[in-house]
Amino acid sequence: MLKATGATAGAVGAAMGAGIGIGIGTTALAPPAAAAGASFAHPGLLHTRADLDRMAAKVKAGAAPHTAGFAKLTANRHAQSGWTANPQATVVRGGAGQNYAILYNDIHAAYQNALRGHVSGDSAHLDTAVAILNAWSAELTTLAGNADRFLAAGIYGYQIANAAELVRDHPDFELGRFQETLTTVFAPLSDSFLVKHNGAVVSNYWTNWDLTAMCCVLATGILCDDKAQVARAVEYFKHGEGLGSIRNAIPVLRDDGLAEWLEAGRDQGHALLGVGLMGTFCEMAWNQGIDLYGYDDSRFLKGAQYVAKWAMGGDVPFTANTRRKGAINGWSGSETVTEAAPADPAMTRPIWAMIANHYTKRRGLPASYLTRIAAKASPEGGGGDYGPNSGGYDQLGFGTLAFTRDKVTGAGAGTGGSAGPAASEAASPAAGAGSRPGSGSDARPQTGATAAPSASAASATAGDLAATGSDDVIGWTAATGVTALAGGLLLLRRRERAQDASQ
């Protein structure tokens, strides 16, 4: 499991409760809370019961743009109740014998049928989702391949957890067996990656690698009611040494209210992937009463606005940076980049509706670039609508249907009021030492506990360290320029950690 200060269940309140209520100079709507006496709210990953009820009501009423979003769902071949699963004992991503497309197609079929069933009320779709998930939990034992196996664990782990969360109360769903599969096949690889980074120096792997693993760990913790797992994921988001933690992913704040996204120097496709994954992480946390959208003075909003402006063809600043690469006690090198990569305004991913609706509708904050790019991408589809290769399946999608919401008005509209019940003890913010109202900082656990990586996680091999992820992303332009970690970022990160501990 992840190495994190205070990664004990007893410290979960302090680890989970940071950054609530702060958003660019305005106090924000509080996130929902888990029901009293329950570890976590269910369903409570990307969609809550209130979300599902809202979707169904809007579609039944013929409301726009929900109906257009639902039409995208019903037209997708994965969302049909006749889908039959093709489970495998071993799934390989990277290297010889790749078969991971079988897994991601079945996951998207399970998710889309589950979502369609909830919105339409047609139980046949829920039954199909259950059949797919049961088939895989009965068969899958191993994720294999080169370094890309960590991407498979992270992406498909958080996605399959989301599909399962939508049917966890179905009488035919084998929840216990599914939880075992998630915790023995997917999560150990993601846990191991965030601790060991496949035997590489911490900056060897780009932001999106960490974020896939973080999403898997968080989703696993919530679905399995594991408070310590959730606390570890949240702690890594705030203070992790890898490039997926928020201050490493978004290292430079600008005076114009934007913040530079590290992977903008790499290429557009991976930058969009990273923004979508961070949004996914924040949304799953929010639905458990943990506000990471507003953490560090809404740092994610500033980074997402930056990427949205750049992706639409706007000029953005970029601070030259250098990234260390290589294996620990092995080969080493570095890369430097001086400018953001070229961007194609026609390139899109189904990531924007979720992020734009949070900040503009839940929070009532201005976010002009997010608003424009979300409108441009609408109605968002899902897996199967963005090409046949793996990049077209990196997000679950359908944000126009799932995340379009009415703007919060009155006491809850960015003024500190809450439209929901008071947070439960497990999910409420901890206002202990280190908490500074108005700063977005958090009270970090002081137990000093650490956790070792899972013993079942596959160890890195010398031959796969340099793998940097599949390039078979439909619509991605060729990467231009060499991208890297901001000069001195790791040193700065350590200094920030020391400051946090003293505040």
Side-chain angles (χ1 to χ4, degrees), residues 147 198 204-205 331 462-469:
N198 197 28
N204 185 76
Y205 289 100
W331 68 274
D464 73 357
L465 177 64
T468 57

Side-chain angles (χ1 to χ4, degrees), residues 142-231:
T142 306
L143 294 178
N146 62 20
D148 283 8
R149 70 191 182 276
F150 294 106
L151 295 177
I155 295 171
Y156 310 136
Y158 94 77
Q159 290 181 347
I160 202 169
N162 268 275
E165 184 75 355
L166 292 178
V167 296
R168 65 180 295 134
D169 294 329
H170 192 288
D172 296 330
F173 181 48
E174 297 285 350
L175 176 60
R177 190 175 72 198
F178 180 86
Q179 289 172 323
E180 182 178 0
T181 299
L182 194 61
T183 56
T184 61
V185 178
F186 293 94
L189 281 170
S190 292
D191 285 331
S192 174
F193 185 82
L194 292 176
V195 175
K196 296 182 177 180
H197 287 88
N198 197 28
V201 296
V202 72
S203 59
N204 185 76
Y205 289 100
W206 285 105
T207 295
N208 70 86
W209 285 77
D210 264 7
L211 285 170
T212 63
M214 292 158 61
C215 284
C216 178
V217 172
L218 180 64
T220 298
I222 293 170
L223 186 132
C224 297
D225 288 314
D226 185 337
K227 293 181 180 180
Q229 186 91 332
V230 171

Side-chain angles (χ1 to χ4, degrees), residues 37-117:
S39 294
F40 294 106
H42 298 294
L45 288 177
L46 284 175
H47 314 301
T48 65
R49 172 55 56 193
D51 292 334
L52 296 170
D53 290 346
R54 181 188 66 249
M55 293 178 225
K58 291 290 189 181
V59 170
K60 183 178 181 179
H66 304 82
T67 51
F70 187 61
K72 291 287 287 187
L73 175 62
T74 59
N76 194 300
R77 71 183 183 92
H78 296 79
Q80 311 310 312
S81 60
W83 189 279
T84 301
N86 183 20
Q88 308 290 307
T90 300
V91 168
V92 180
R93 176 165 178 167
Q98 289 193 134
N99 64 348
Y100 67 103
I102 298 172
L103 175 59
Y104 67 65
N105 275 282
D106 275 1
I107 289 173
H108 283 259
Y111 172 77
Q112 291 180 27
N113 270 282
L115 190 62
R116 183 173 179 178

Side-chain angles (χ1 to χ4, degrees), residues 57-448:
K58 291 290 189 181
V59 170
K60 183 178 181 179
H66 304 82
T67 51
F70 187 61
K72 291 287 287 187
L73 175 62
T74 59
N76 194 300
R77 71 183 183 92
H78 296 79
Q80 311 310 312
S81 60
W83 189 279
T84 301
N86 183 20
Q88 308 290 307
T90 300
V91 168
V92 180
R93 176 165 178 167
Q98 289 193 134
N99 64 348
Y100 67 103
I102 298 172
L103 175 59
Y104 67 65
N105 275 282
D106 275 1
I107 289 173
H108 283 259
Y111 172 77
Q112 291 180 27
N113 270 282
L115 190 62
R116 183 173 179 178
H118 279 290
V119 176
S120 69
D122 186 345
S123 62
H125 292 287
L126 296 172
D127 293 344
T128 297
V130 168
I132 295 168
L133 296 169
N134 282 347
W136 276 95
S137 67
E139 185 73 19
L140 182 64
T141 60
T142 306
L143 294 178
N146 62 20
D148 283 8
R149 70 191 182 276
F150 294 106
L151 295 177
I155 295 171
Y156 310 136
Y158 94 77
Q159 290 181 347
I160 202 169
N162 268 275
E165 184 75 355
L166 292 178
V167 296
R168 65 180 295 134
D169 294 329
H170 192 288
D172 296 330
F173 181 48
E174 297 285 350
L175 176 60
R177 190 175 72 198
F178 180 86
Q179 289 172 323
E180 182 178 0
T181 299
L182 194 61
T183 56
T184 61
V185 178
F186 293 94
L189 281 170
S190 292
D191 285 331
S192 174
F193 185 82
L194 292 176
V195 175
K196 296 182 177 180
H197 287 88
N198 197 28
V201 296
V202 72
S203 59
N204 185 76
Y205 289 100
W206 285 105
T207 295
N208 70 86
W209 285 77
D210 264 7
L211 285 170
T212 63
M214 292 158 61
C215 284
C216 178
V217 172
L218 180 64
T220 298
I222 293 170
L223 186 132
C224 297
D225 288 314
D226 185 337
K227 293 181 180 180
Q229 186 91 332
V230 171
R232 284 191 293 272
V234 172
E235 166 70 8
Y236 196 94
F237 174 92
K238 298 171 185 173
H239 305 113
E241 292 290 352
L243 302 189
S245 62
I246 188 165
R247 292 176 188 166
N248 290 345
I250 310 172
V252 180
L253 301 177
R254 312 291 307 191
D255 291 338
D256 59 2
L258 303 182
E260 297 177 18
W261 188 266
L262 183 66
E263 275 191 295
R266 181 185 185 189
D267 62 65
Q268 186 180 357
H270 286 98
L272 294 179
L273 170 61
V275 170
L277 289 168
M278 187 169 284
T280 294
F281 191 92
C282 290
E283 184 70 17
M284 293 189 296
W286 173 271
N287 286 332
Q288 297 301 331
I290 312 163
D291 184 7
L292 300 178
Y293 277 118
Y295 180 73
D296 199 15
D297 197 23
S298 294
R299 195 182 190 99
F300 177 50
L301 169 59
K302 299 168 187 175
Q305 282 265 86
Y306 172 96
V307 173
K309 179 182 179 181
W310 165 64
M312 290 187 292
D315 291 331
V316 293
F318 191 87
T319 301
N321 55 70
T322 298
R323 177 176 69 99
R324 289 185 61 233
K325 305 191 305 178
I328 296 174
N329 299 321
W331 68 274
S332 63
S334 64
E335 293 177 333
T336 299
V337 66
T338 59
E339 61 185 0
D344 176 6
M347 185 187 297
T348 189
R349 280 176 175 256
I351 63 175
W352 298 112
M354 175 175 62
I355 303 167
N357 272 275
H358 173 80
Y359 287 112
T360 65
K361 300 298 181 63
R362 279 184 182 145
R363 284 274 169 76
L365 297 172
S368 59
Y369 298 115
L370 286 174
T371 300
R372 286 168 51 196
I373 202 167
K376 182 179 177 182
S378 180
E380 290 180 353
D385 292 324
Y386 297 88
N389 299 323
S390 63
Y393 293 81
D394 284 344
Q395 279 82 34
L396 290 169
F398 300 105
T400 305
L401 168 66
F403 302 110
T404 300
R405 59 187 76 247
D406 297 328
K407 190 170 184 177
V408 174
T409 58
T415 60
S418 173
S424 67
E425 181 179 350
S428 63
S435 213
R436 291 181 294 127
S439 70
S441 66
D442 61 298
R444 295 182 61 198
Q446 300 297 318
T447 64

